[in-house]
C-alpha cells in the first residue's frame, strides 16, 4: 500500500470533560493520539500529517517526535489546526507534500490520501486496508460505513415549546433504515480530488456551523461519486465519557 494520511486531532476535550485536548486523553494507558497514529502506521500508511490545537503543539510533539514512536520510518508532520474540523483538514493538506517527501513517496494526482479522526483510535487495520484498496481500484472517494441500528427521523422546528422547557420538534420524514449507513473514518480520496473538494468548499470552513463534518460531503458537492465500504463497530468516535469507557472495555484488561 502507498497511502498518506491527515490525522485530525485539533479538537477540544470539552464534551469528554477533560482539561486539555481530546487527543491527549488516555485510553487504557496510552493517549488517543498515540493509538490513532500507531493504528494508521500498523495498517501500512507511509506518512502522517497531524493537526493539533495551536497552543498544544509542543505536547503533541512529545507524543509524536517527528515520527510514529514504534515506527521511525513513518514520518509525522505536525500542523496547527483551525476553527473547524474542515479548516483543520485544509491546514493539514498543505503539509501533505512535505510528509510525502519525508517518506520518499511520489505524490501523484491519484495517490490515495486518507483523512482520519484521531478520536477513532480503535479503528482496525482491515478498515484502513479496505478504504485504500477501493481508491487503488479506481474509486474517487471512499467512506467506511455501518448499518444504523436506530430508526432515524428527519425533523424541523415546530414553533411550540414543551411545558417542561426545551423545544418540540416536528417529524417530517422517516428515511428507510436499509438505505442508511453511519459513516466513519478513515475516508480515502485521490489526492487531486481531495484538494479540489477542499478548495471548492473553502468558504464553509470558517465557522463550525457551516463547515462540513466529513470530507466526503465536500466531494459530493463537486458532483463526484463517493463509494462506501464496510466499516467496523470498533471504530467508534470517542466523544463522551461513556465512549471512553466503552473503548477501554473493547481493549480488554491492561496486561500490567
Ligand atoms: O469534535 P469531533 O469529535 O467531531 O471531531 C472529529 C475529529 O476532528 C477529532 O479527531 C478532532 O480532534 C478533530 N478536530 C480538528 N479540528 C477542529 C475540530 C475537530 O482537528 N477544529
Amino acid at each position: 500500500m502507498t497511502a498518506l494520511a491527515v490525522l485530525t486531532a485539533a479538537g477540544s476535550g470539552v464534551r469528554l470533560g477533560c482539561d486539555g485536548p481530546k487527543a491527549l486523553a488516555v485510553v487504557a494507558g496510552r493517549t488517543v493520539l498515540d493509538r490513532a497514529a500507531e493504528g494508521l502506521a500498523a495498517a501500512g500508511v507511509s506518512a502522517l500529517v497531524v493537526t493539533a490545537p495551536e497552543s498544544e503543539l509542543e505536547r503533541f510533539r512529545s507524543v509524536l517526535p517527528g515520527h510514529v514512536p514504534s515506527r521511525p520510518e513513518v514520518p509525522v508532520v505536525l500542523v496547527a489546526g483551525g476553527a473547524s474540523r474542515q479548516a483543520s483538514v485544509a491546514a493539514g493538506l498543505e503539509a501533505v507534500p512535505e510528509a510525502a517527501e519525508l517518506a520518499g513517496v511520489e505524490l501523484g494526482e491519484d495517490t490515495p490520501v486518507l483523512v482520519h479522526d484521531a478520536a477513532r483510535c480503535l479503528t482496525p487495520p482491515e478498515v484502513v486496508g479496505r478504504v485504500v484498496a477501493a481508491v487503488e481500484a479506481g474509486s474517487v472517494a471512499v467512506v467506511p460505513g455501518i448499518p444504523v441500528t436506530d430508526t432515524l427521523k428527519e425533523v424541523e422546528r415546530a414553533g411550540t415549546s414543551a411545558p417542561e422547557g426545551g423545544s418540540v420538534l416536528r417529524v417530517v420524514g422517516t428515511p428507510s433504515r436499509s438505505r442508511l449507513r453511519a459513516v466513519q473514518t478513515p475516508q480515502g480520496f485521490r489526492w487531486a480530488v481531495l484538494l479540489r473538494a477542499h478548495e471548492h468548499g473553502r468558504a464553509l470552513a470558517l465557522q463550525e456551523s457551516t463547515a462540513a463534518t466529513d470530507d466526503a460531503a465536500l466531494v459530493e458537492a463537486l458532483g463526484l461519486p463517493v463509494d462506501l465500504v464496510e466499516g467496523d463497530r470498533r471504530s467508534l468516535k470517542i466523544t463522551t465519557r461513556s465512549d471512553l469507557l466503552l473503548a477501554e472495555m473493547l481493549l480488554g484488561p491492561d496486561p500490567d
Side-chain angles (χ1 to χ4, degrees):
M1 157 196 312
T2 298
L4 304 159
V6 174
L7 182 61
T8 67
S12 79
V14 173
R15 282 178 293 174
L16 195 56
C18 58
D19 282 344
K22 179 161 72 176
L24 296 181
V26 173
V27 187
R30 288 170 58 194
T31 61
V32 163
L33 178 63
D34 175 36
R35 286 188 181 279
E38 291 277 355
L40 287 174
V45 173
S46 305
L48 312 182
V49 175
V50 176
T51 71
E54 191 153 19
S55 58
E56 301 284 352
L57 283 164
E58 279 319 305
R59 279 170 81 198
F60 271 52
R61 215 179 305 283
S62 67
V63 178
L64 300 173
H67 57 82
V68 174
S70 68
R71 293 172 195 260
E73 73 282 11
V74 181
V76 173
V77 178
L78 278 180
V79 300
S84 64
R85 180 188 182 280
Q86 186 188 333
S88 292
V89 176
L93 295 183
E94 289 183 22
V96 167
E98 180 191 343
E101 198 178 328
L102 287 170
V105 168
E106 197 177 323
L107 183 60
E109 289 204 341
D110 295 339
T111 303
V113 177
L114 306 173
V115 182
H116 187 42
D117 290 340
R120 296 188 192 272
C121 64
L122 267 53
T123 299
E126 310 86 82
V127 176
V128 182
R130 278 198 285 276
V131 171
V132 174
V135 178
E136 286 174 342
S139 291
V140 166
V142 181
V143 299
I146 54 173
V148 293
T149 50
D150 290 320
T151 293
L152 301 180
K153 302 282 185 194
E154 192 179 351
V155 294
E156 279 177 359
R157 292 222 166 279
T160 56
S161 296
E164 299 298 323
S167 57
V168 175
L169 300 175
R170 174 68 41 79
V171 171
V172 293
T174 307
S176 163
R177 212 161 56 178
S178 64
R179 288 174 52 85
L180 295 172
R181 294 292 180 275
V183 303
Q184 306 175 326
T185 67
Q187 299 188 346
F189 307 87
R190 295 190 199 169
W191 168 236
V193 169
L194 182 57
L195 269 185
R196 189 146 62 89
H198 270 269
E199 185 57 45
H200 184 253
R202 184 186 288 269
L204 303 173
L206 300 174
Q207 294 168 42
E208 196 67 77
S209 57
T210 56
T213 50
D214 80 343
D215 304 278
L218 298 173
V219 172
E220 290 163 53
L222 287 178
L224 293 174
V226 174
D227 294 329
L228 188 137
V229 296
E230 201 184 333
D232 193 294
R233 296 211 177 269
R234 286 168 291 178
S235 208
L236 79 158
K237 186 166 75 160
I238 297 176
T239 306
T240 61
R241 198 80 209 148
S242 59
D243 298 327
L244 196 68
L245 294 174
L246 178 57
E248 291 194 326
M249 218 180 77
L250 288 169
L251 284 164
D254 192 335
D256 302 329

